[in-house]
Amino acid sequence: MDAALTHWINAAAGINPLLDRTMIAISQIGVPLMVIAVALQWWSRTDRAHVRHACLSAGLSFLLGLALNQAILLFVHRIRPYDAGVTHLLIAPSADWSFPSDHATASMAIVAAFAMQALPRRTLAFFIMALLICWSRLHIGIHYTGDIVGGAATGAAAALAVRLGYRENSRLDAFATSIL
């Protein structure tokens, strides 16, 4: 089912050059743009300390999620869908394993971190960005749908771990959120 869904989503690849270029661009710059968007939240005028805590939580979740992915890659060796003949690849092939998706992990870690801080508008904006990034990875043929779901789960787990370990209004948080 994973391969069938991945193939169905990737079926649009190579048909419309404008769509392909757009999806490639989203895949390449989507996560950096999300990071910039999180960084810009630092100067929020409303509920500044809480939003800054959310920014730091998102950054820590992002890093922890990617670290978890590296640990998973030691044990899970899933070939890329283009190597299995499931997708039409629109970019250069990747040298690492397919599961889990780092793009999904990074973007969904940010979404989950903001969601856990009860910032609904920001969460929705980041969620839309994350969905576009994840869809682009499927469209360009670099990941299976299961890789995206696995990456999203890793990102959410990392955000939950950060939520449990990094408390708002702690001494460390008060120091970190008072910078600038």
Side-chain angles (χ1 to χ4, degrees):
M1 185 166 152
D2 190 23
L5 184 56
T6 301
H7 180 71
W8 178 76
I9 293 169
N10 179 256
I15 295 173
N16 182 328
L18 179 60
L19 177 62
D20 291 346
R21 284 193 303 272
T22 301
M23 288 294 147
I24 291 167
I26 290 169
S27 181
Q28 290 173 340
I29 65 170
V31 172
L33 285 177
M34 279 188 83
V35 171
I36 290 168
V38 169
L40 290 174
Q41 300 302 306
W42 189 260
W43 292 279
S44 173
R45 294 178 187 218
T46 59
D47 203 8
R48 180 174 283 217
H50 182 64
V51 172
R52 284 183 171 192
H53 175 77
C55 292
L56 291 171
S57 294
L60 292 170
S61 299
F62 178 102
L63 294 173
L64 179 59
L66 293 178
L68 289 171
N69 280 4
Q70 294 307 305
I72 291 168
L73 285 171
L74 295 174
F75 302 102
V76 180
H77 301 135
R78 186 177 196 189
I79 64 168
R80 297 279 178 170
Y82 53 83
D83 286 332
V86 174
T87 61
H88 171 70
L89 186 63
L90 297 179
I91 62 172
S94 180
D96 61 350
W97 299 109
S98 188
F99 184 88
S101 165
D102 286 339
H103 283 72
T105 299
S107 61
M108 288 301 183
I110 291 169
V111 171
F114 273 86
M116 289 179 196
Q117 298 304 320
L119 295 165
R121 287 186 181 159
R122 289 174 172 91
T123 300
L124 179 60
F126 286 128
F127 183 67
I128 291 167
M129 292 172 76
L131 280 179
L132 285 170
I133 292 166
C134 292
W135 191 269
S136 74
R137 301 299 284 174
L138 295 168
H139 180 87
I140 65 173
I142 201 84
H143 280 295
Y144 285 99
T145 308
D147 303 338
I148 299 296
V149 172
T154 305
L160 180 59
V162 169
R163 172 82 171 148
L164 296 172
Y166 176 52
R167 296 288 183 185
E168 190 168 8
N169 299 320
S170 64
R171 283 187 190 176
L172 176 60
D173 185 57
F175 171 74
T177 57
S178 67
I179 297 172
L180 294 178

